[in-house]
């Protein structure tokens, strides 16, 4: 069999840094949990009893710790959502609860940047969420820590500060659907695989962020992520 040839240069493989290492985690897909902390569901005006649902971002939406994210176009209301990121080393369909943790390579701190005005307009028109959620650089992700080193965090503070002021302050224990349950549910809907990452939902306190803001995130036992919001890209 002859080697495959591509008609354009092959795009770069999106990847996330590993804490304390020069190695990288290659990103295949980014899945996000829509609603997973009770106080955030209430602040968005929804019923906490609803089951979780999922949406996606393109793999190349990941940007590393220290990035200046250009303020994205066509929005007047970009929000920050700090989230625990789960990085998979294996996957499958219909993963059983008891097997879910075995699929995890490690964990990190991410931000699900959201063009809230466009997300809500899409929702109200029963249109897809991509324009609100899946834009360029919409998934900042700090360096991953291997589960082999830190274990599988099920509790611990999850905090986002904007210009030094605490905006989001929750605890991983407040997740309505915990990480194994998220993996179980998502694997009923799509086949998961090594390289997939899951952004597991955000605690209350989401708010607008503008050019010049410094967003400092930390999850106890997992790590940190700092990004700056910059002016729009030229
Ligand atoms: Mn989110």
């Amino acid at each position: 069999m002859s080697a495959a040839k591509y008609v354009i240069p092959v795009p770069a493989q999106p990847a996330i840094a590993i804490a304390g290492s020069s190695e990288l985690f290659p990103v295949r897909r980014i899945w996000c949990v829509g609603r997973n902390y009770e106080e955030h569901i209430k602040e968005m005006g929804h019923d906490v009893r609803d089951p979780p649902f999922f949406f996606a971002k393109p793999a190349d939406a990941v940007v590393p710790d220290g990035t200046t994210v250009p303020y994205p176009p066509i929005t007047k209301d970009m929000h920050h959502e700090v989230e625990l990121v789960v990085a998979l080393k294996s996957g499958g369909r219909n993963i059983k609860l008891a097997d879910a943790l075995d699929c995890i390579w490690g964990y990190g701190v991410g931000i699900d940047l959201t063009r809230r005005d466009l997300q809500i307009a899409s929702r109200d028109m029963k249109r897809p969420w991509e324009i609100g959620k899946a834009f360029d650089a919409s998934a900042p992700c700090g360096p991953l820590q291997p589960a082999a080193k830190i274990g599988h965090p099920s509790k611990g503070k999850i905090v986002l500060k904007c210009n030094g002021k605490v905006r989001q302050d929750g605890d991983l224990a407040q997740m309505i659907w915990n990480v194994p349950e998220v993996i179980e549910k998502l694997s009923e809907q799509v086949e998961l695989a090594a390289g997939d990452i899951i952004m597991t939902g955000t605690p209350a306190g989401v708010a607008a962020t503008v050019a010049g803001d410094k967003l400092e995130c930390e999850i106890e036992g997992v790590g940190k992520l700092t990004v700056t919001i910059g002016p729009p890209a030229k």
Side-chain angles (χ1 to χ4, degrees):
M1 202 170 77
S2 63
K5 286 195 170 71
Y6 296 96
V7 296
I8 60 166
V10 176
Q13 170 65 56
I16 302 171
I18 306 299
S21 167
S22 59
E23 293 184 311
L24 299 169
F25 181 91
V27 179
R28 174 178 178 261
R29 296 177 176 173
I30 305 175
W31 290 102
C32 305
V33 183
R35 294 169 192 143
N36 207 21
Y37 288 77
E38 186 168 332
E39 292 305 313
H40 173 59
I41 294 172
K42 287 180 180 167
E43 78 180 348
M44 296 299 288
H46 297 288
D47 190 324
V48 298
R49 292 166 302 177
D50 286 345
F53 65 93
F54 301 94
F55 61 92
K57 294 177 186 258
D60 70 355
V62 293
V63 291
D65 184 45
T67 296
T68 296
V69 174
Y71 194 86
I74 66 164
T75 181
K76 293 183 169 63
D77 195 27
M78 181 167 72
H79 280 202
H80 52 71
E81 299 187 356
V82 63
E83 311 204 359
L84 175 70
V85 174
V86 176
L88 300 188
K89 65 181 178 186
S90 63
R93 295 190 190 91
N94 300 311
I95 297 167
K96 291 189 175 64
L97 212 50
D99 299 328
L101 292 180
D102 294 337
C103 298
I104 297 171
W105 187 86
Y107 296 88
V109 183
I111 307 176
D112 168 15
L113 287 172
T114 301
R115 294 192 282 207
R116 190 73 73 205
D117 45 355
L118 304 181
Q119 179 205 11
I120 289 171
S122 300
R123 189 188 70 194
D124 291 348
M125 290 187 286
K126 301 190 190 315
R127 288 181 181 171
W129 278 20
E130 278 86 347
I131 292 303
K133 285 288 194 179
F135 53 93
D136 300 329
S138 59
C141 195
L144 299 178
Q145 292 272 12
K149 182 177 166 198
I150 66 162
H152 295 281
S154 58
K155 58 180 169 25
K157 285 179 76 68
I158 172 168
V159 175
L160 180 143
K161 290 182 195 172
C162 180
N163 302 324
K165 277 187 73 174
V166 174
R167 287 253 186 103
Q168 296 190 259
D169 185 4
D171 194 290
L172 298 180
Q174 295 165 338
M175 283 188 191
I176 294 168
W177 301 87
N178 65 30
V179 170
E181 289 169 334
V182 165
I183 290 172
E184 178 190 48
K185 293 274 178 203
L186 181 55
S187 74
E188 293 168 358
Q189 301 183 23
V190 292
E191 181 176 6
L192 294 173
D196 289 347
I197 68 168
I198 304 171
M199 303 185 80
T200 53
T202 196
V206 300
T209 182
V210 298
D213 283 349
K214 184 180 182 188
L215 304 178
E216 295 172 283
C217 309
E218 183 166 7
I219 300 177
E220 191 181 346
V222 174
K224 295 182 181 184
L225 165 67
T226 301
V227 299
T228 302
I229 307 301
K234 290 253 161 65

